[in-house]
Amino acid sequence: MAAEEAAPGTPQGAGAQETLSNLLHEGRRFAPPAALAEAANVRADAYQASRADRLGFWAEQARHLHWDREWDQVLDWSGAPFARWFTGGRLNVAYNCVDRHVESGHGDQVALHFEGEPGDRHSVTYAELQREVCRAANALTELGVHAGDRVAIYLPMIPEAVVALLACARIGAPHSVVFAAFSPGALRSRIDDAQAKVLITADGYHRRGSVVQLKPNADEALQADGGAQSIEHVLVIRRSGQEVPWTEGRDLWWHETTERQSDRHTPEAFDSEHPLFILYTSGTTGKPKGILHTTGGYLTQVSYTHRAVFDLKPDTDVFWCTADIGWVTGHSYIVYGPLANRATSVLYEGTPDTPNQGRFWENVDRYGVSILYTAPTAIRTFMKWGTEIPARYDLSSLRVLGSVGEPINPEAWIWYRENIGRERCPIVDTWWQTETGAIMISPLPGVTETKPGSAMRPLPGISAEVVDSDGNPVPNGAGGLLVLDQPWPSMLRGIWGDEERYRQTYWERFADQGYYFAGDGAKKDEDGDIWLLGRVDDIMLVSGHNISTTEVESALVSHPAVAEAAVVGATDPTTGQRIVAFVILRGGSEEVATLAEELKTHVAKEIGPIAKPRQIQVVAELPKTRSGKIMRRLLRDVAEDRALGDTTTLTDASVMDLIAAKLPHAT
Ligand code: ATP
Ligand code: MG
């Protein structure tokens, strides 16, 4: 994946050795709540049905959508590794996400409860959403955007962002969303790569109590010398009300352009394999890749998984996915999955600590959120802040809790269950990637007896394996590399403009078997349930043992003083690598001189002496990508006393100076 990025001396893809050591043991089990199991959308029989006839199973899920023309063939894998799902079928994504709900009499149902960071709020019904999407589709058409043209979207979390995505989908113009906090340079390279014709942006937005400007960044990305040249028009949404620089002829206000359009628009049905969007991966390991997703298979799997994994009941649930629309989680579980299923969702513009650290729980309370989908990075932050904060709010509306983005440490899982779910709500730890488009491995809330820290089983219709370096399945109780051994409907259809990189990155490693290589380490426990063990590039090799960063981090987090931990392997002359740990303490914990020793002993006791960190450093922050994932390769640079690699996708590059200053350069 990012072998060229790897530090010299780092045992790449430790899978090259035999298997991963399986150190952590977790005996706690949680059965699904009886009432939920009783009324669950998906029951245990779905596993058998999908095993008996996998393609038939997906065809059945696809029938939940409206197709203008039914498909001829469910899967055409003759051009592997390029899949074609529901060949010959035709449908319109926006029609499926909006119009059909209005036509079935649900026009007055709220689609989005928008909560601005300053506290401004309004709700958008499906009927209103339909009119807005039609106007925006007409506006894009007037600007000369045709089916197949790319549209770049650089927006904060506002309802117009949802409208913009759906308008593109409606006219068959693939969108490329760029996270609003990315730099002009990142926006420029993504516009160039996709040769986008129109850019949709905003004047600015609200973040941490202040107004952040966005339009000047967009201008910088487009500047005459060296800027992206493919953009013909910039549509600017007014959100913050700031004065903005303006380029006559190129720039247009969104409200002026859309308001004069008709609120009617006839959707065209597109081929099932018509491109729906390009999205660049978050760049945890290296240079982002333009992941391409198409229409019919994608919508089938995002809507199925949203229905199955969250048990969504459209008439009664309120769903809140806290991701940003700039990530795949926002695409699949803020926009396409929930809207295809006629969900009522919360859309929140801001951060969890503005104006205070109870903002998330205030939102849950205000809107009666029943399903919450968030990330381990947020959960660990809440742990740091302390249990008294969520304790102040009424969270009784919650019934299902989700996690995505990184492995969730068992103690963070338990904290989430006790303090947010109040021991009532099942937790679904969902493993998937930008490339997979939708959830792949996850418990089902009405079926699965969950284990804290395990994503459990591939969903019905999905097939995954944990294999050794030769591609042979590892036995239960052992670790190895995660692969997907069967194509799935929402799989990526390639990397935009780079067929070779697609083959190399995902299909070369297990070319003989034809497996998709996910780049993550995993283990199967005694029952065959799957535990994600972190990225293959991060796996450590200590005295001949492959040790997962996740397991050592989980052992550290199980100590009451630790809220968050990041572990790396640094080159060592005698053991190959030595374990170096960076820890953040929980709220109220004192930094004590003896703590490091205590933590080392704790890890040795929890999972074994082999995994004992050689060095432990207490830090205030960890380097994270803008999507909140720990960037271990930078910590490895620090631990090995080497110049830092690429830091452009970091939230805050200054964090690295602080960490480097603290670590004694001893070996
Ligand atoms: P890049 O591919 O550019 O390095 P990225 O992998 O961080 O960036 P994403 O597609 O957003 O980009 O993230 C997918 C990865 O996130 C997975 O491969 C896995 O490492 C991790 N991940 C996501 N969900 C889970 C989960 N529930 N448990 C464990 N790991 C997870
Ligand atoms: Mg990735």
Side-chain angles (χ1 to χ4, degrees):
M1 213 175 205
E4 64 289 349
E5 292 267 325
T10 304
Q12 260 316 300
Q17 321 303 317
E18 286 302 278
T19 54
L20 252 170
S21 296
N22 173 11
L23 300 173
L24 193 74
H25 291 279
E26 169 58 68
R28 291 169 285 192
R29 302 284 180 273
F30 298 91
L36 197 155
E38 187 101 330
N41 289 348
V42 177
R43 314 287 173 89
D45 58 0
Y47 291 106
Q48 287 106 46
S50 66
R51 241 175 272 130
D53 179 7
R54 215 170 57 82
L55 297 182
F57 169 85
W58 282 117
E60 198 180 307
Q61 307 318 319
R63 286 196 187 95
H64 285 258
L65 302 175
H66 173 86
W67 295 77
D68 295 82
R69 182 186 186 281
E70 189 163 307
W71 54 88
D72 305 315
Q73 196 184 351
V74 175
L75 169 66
D76 174 4
W77 192 226
S78 60
F82 293 90
R84 298 176 67 230
W85 281 84
F86 306 111
T87 58
R90 298 183 78 84
L91 74 168
N92 185 285
V93 167
Y95 175 83
N96 272 283
C97 290
V98 185
D99 305 52
R100 75 177 164 132
H101 306 318
V102 177
E103 288 170 13
S104 68
H106 298 92
D108 292 337
Q109 183 182 331
V110 171
L112 300 169
H113 287 297
F114 172 65
E115 169 87 11
E117 196 189 74
D120 56 317
R121 47 186 74 95
H122 68 271
S123 299
V124 182
T125 64
Y126 274 96
E128 287 164 344
L129 189 60
Q130 182 185 35
R131 292 194 286 272
E132 291 307 312
V133 171
C134 288
R135 286 198 185 96
N138 287 324
L140 288 172
T141 303
E142 185 183 286
L143 294 179
V145 179
H146 300 290
D149 291 341
R150 275 79 60 206
V151 174
I153 295 181
Y154 187 50
L155 285 175
M157 290 286 288
I158 53 177
E160 289 87 343
V162 178
V163 171
L165 267 67
L166 291 168
C168 290
R170 193 172 186 99
I171 62 171
H175 52 72
S176 163
V177 180
V178 181
F179 181 48
F182 273 153
S183 66
L187 174 61
R188 175 165 65 225
S189 63
R190 285 160 175 75
I191 289 174
D192 276 340
D193 190 63
Q195 288 292 295
K197 194 168 178 180
V198 165
L199 170 65
I200 306 178
T201 187
D203 49 359
Y205 57 100
H206 302 270
R207 194 102 190 137
R208 297 228 139 78
S210 50
V211 177
V212 181
Q213 55 177 25
L214 193 59
K215 175 67 166 50
N217 289 8
D219 285 338
E220 197 181 325
L222 304 182
Q223 74 202 357
D225 52 331
Q229 303 300 310
S230 57
I231 295 291
E232 294 171 9
H233 287 288
V234 180
L235 275 168
V236 186
I237 293 163
R238 189 185 271 158
R239 165 63 184 148
S240 59
Q242 289 158 299
E243 287 274 321
V244 290
W246 207 254
T247 302
E248 281 308 328
R250 185 196 70 184
D251 297 351
L252 300 159
W253 282 111
W254 167 272
H255 59 272
E256 289 178 3
T257 316
T258 56
E259 270 162 19
R260 56 183 162 72
Q261 307 293 333
S262 160
D263 61 8
R264 298 284 181 99
H265 177 272
T266 308
E268 181 187 338
F270 293 102
D271 189 272
S272 178
E273 284 300 333
H274 188 80
L276 180 62
F277 65 85
I278 304 164
L279 180 62
Y280 293 80
T281 52
S282 56
T284 307
T285 52
K287 181 177 175 277
K289 303 169 274 281
I291 303 300
L292 173 66
H293 283 287
T294 60
T295 299
Y298 173 81
L299 198 65
T300 296
Q301 194 175 331
V302 293
S303 63
Y304 171 69
T305 52
H306 181 253
R307 209 163 48 238
V309 172
F310 301 107
D311 192 45
L312 181 96
K313 305 282 197 274
D315 295 327
T316 47
D317 276 318
V318 177
F319 179 78
W320 182 22
C321 166
T322 70
D324 192 280
I325 234 156
W327 313 125
V328 73
T329 309
H331 285 56
S332 300
Y333 299 104
I334 292 177
V335 183
Y336 294 115
L339 293 173
N341 292 342
R342 186 171 52 84
T344 294
S345 297
V346 171
L347 185 75
Y348 174 51
E349 179 187 36
T351 49
D353 55 353
T354 308
N356 61 63
Q357 295 175 338
R359 186 64 183 270
F360 265 33
W361 318 122
E362 191 184 304
N363 288 347
V364 168
D365 194 345
R366 177 184 311 275
Y367 296 105
V369 171
S370 55
I371 306 168
L372 178 70
Y373 192 27
T374 193
T377 183
I379 297 164
R380 294 181 311 236
T381 303
F382 300 139
M383 287 170 75
K384 230 173 349 185
W385 290 343
T387 55
E388 61 285 1
I389 294 169
R392 288 183 206 129
Y393 298 87
D394 179 3
L395 306 181
S396 59
S397 54
L398 288 171
R399 65 179 198 94
V400 178
L401 302 176
S403 173
V404 62
E406 288 178 291
I408 179 166
N409 312 114
E411 282 319 311
W413 194 104
I414 292 286
W415 189 96
Y416 194 25
R417 178 179 159 84
E418 289 177 352
N419 296 286
I420 307 305
R422 311 258 158 98
E423 319 222 15
R424 288 178 295 106
C425 307
I427 296 181
V428 287
D429 173 15
T430 63
W431 178 87
W432 59 296
Q433 314 176 296
T434 309
E435 294 88 340
T436 68
I439 299 171
M440 302 291 285
I441 305 178
S442 168
L444 287 174
V447 178
T448 315
E449 187 181 63
T450 53
K451 304 173 180 178
S454 172
M456 304 299 294
R457 296 273 167 135
L459 289 174
I462 300 298
S463 185
E465 230 339 317
V466 180
V467 298
D468 64 18
S469 49
D470 298 326
N472 302 313
V474 300
N476 286 356
L481 308 172
L482 182 71
V483 296
L484 301 168
D485 55 0
Q486 293 290 340
W488 62 100
S490 64
M491 69 191 293
L492 74 166
R493 302 303 198 262
I495 294 177
W496 186 258
D498 201 343
E499 192 178 314
E500 197 38 42
R501 193 175 178 204
Y502 170 65
R503 290 181 190 277
Q504 254 171 26
T505 309
Y506 308 105
W507 301 95
E508 209 160 69
R509 187 78 170 73
F510 294 107
D512 293 346
Q513 297 84 352
Y515 294 163
Y516 170 93
F517 174 53
D520 285 331
K523 74 176 181 197
K524 288 193 286 195
D525 66 15
E526 300 67 27
D527 306 319
D529 293 323
I530 295 178
W531 298 67
L532 275 303
L533 296 180
R535 293 165 195 277
V536 167
D537 297 338
D538 290 333
I539 288 167
M540 306 176 286
L541 182 60
V542 182
S543 306
H545 293 268
N546 283 313
I547 297 178
S548 111
T549 50
T550 305
E551 292 201 322
V552 181
E553 288 163 5
S554 291
L556 285 163
V557 175
S558 74
H559 187 281
V562 178
E564 183 156 23
V567 161
V568 299
T571 308
D572 184 272
T574 47
T575 54
Q577 281 191 318
R578 64 179 192 284
I579 300 180
V580 181
F582 300 81
V583 299
I584 298 180
L585 302 182
R586 282 207 205 198
S589 295
E590 295 284 302
E591 182 182 341
V592 284
T594 54
L595 187 62
E597 280 316 307
E598 192 181 318
L599 291 178
K600 288 181 194 176
T601 314
H602 178 74
V603 173
K605 190 172 116 267
E606 287 295 303
I607 59 178
I610 181 80
K612 190 168 161 173
R614 190 88 60 83
Q615 285 166 278
I616 293 194
Q617 188 61 55
V618 175
V619 293
E621 294 292 344
L622 290 168
K624 293 197 178 154
T625 61
R626 286 168 204 268
S627 54
K629 302 182 193 208
I630 299 170
M631 274 233 241
R632 288 178 194 74
R633 68 180 165 83
L634 295 179
L635 293 171
R636 203 155 54 216
D637 290 343
V638 172
E640 295 185 335
D641 202 5
R642 185 180 41 241
L644 294 183
D646 184 7
T647 56
T648 48
T649 56
L650 270 188
T651 319
D652 176 5
S654 69
V655 165
M656 290 314 298
D657 300 334
L658 294 175
I659 294 173
K662 279 198 131 188
L663 194 79
H665 298 281
T667 42

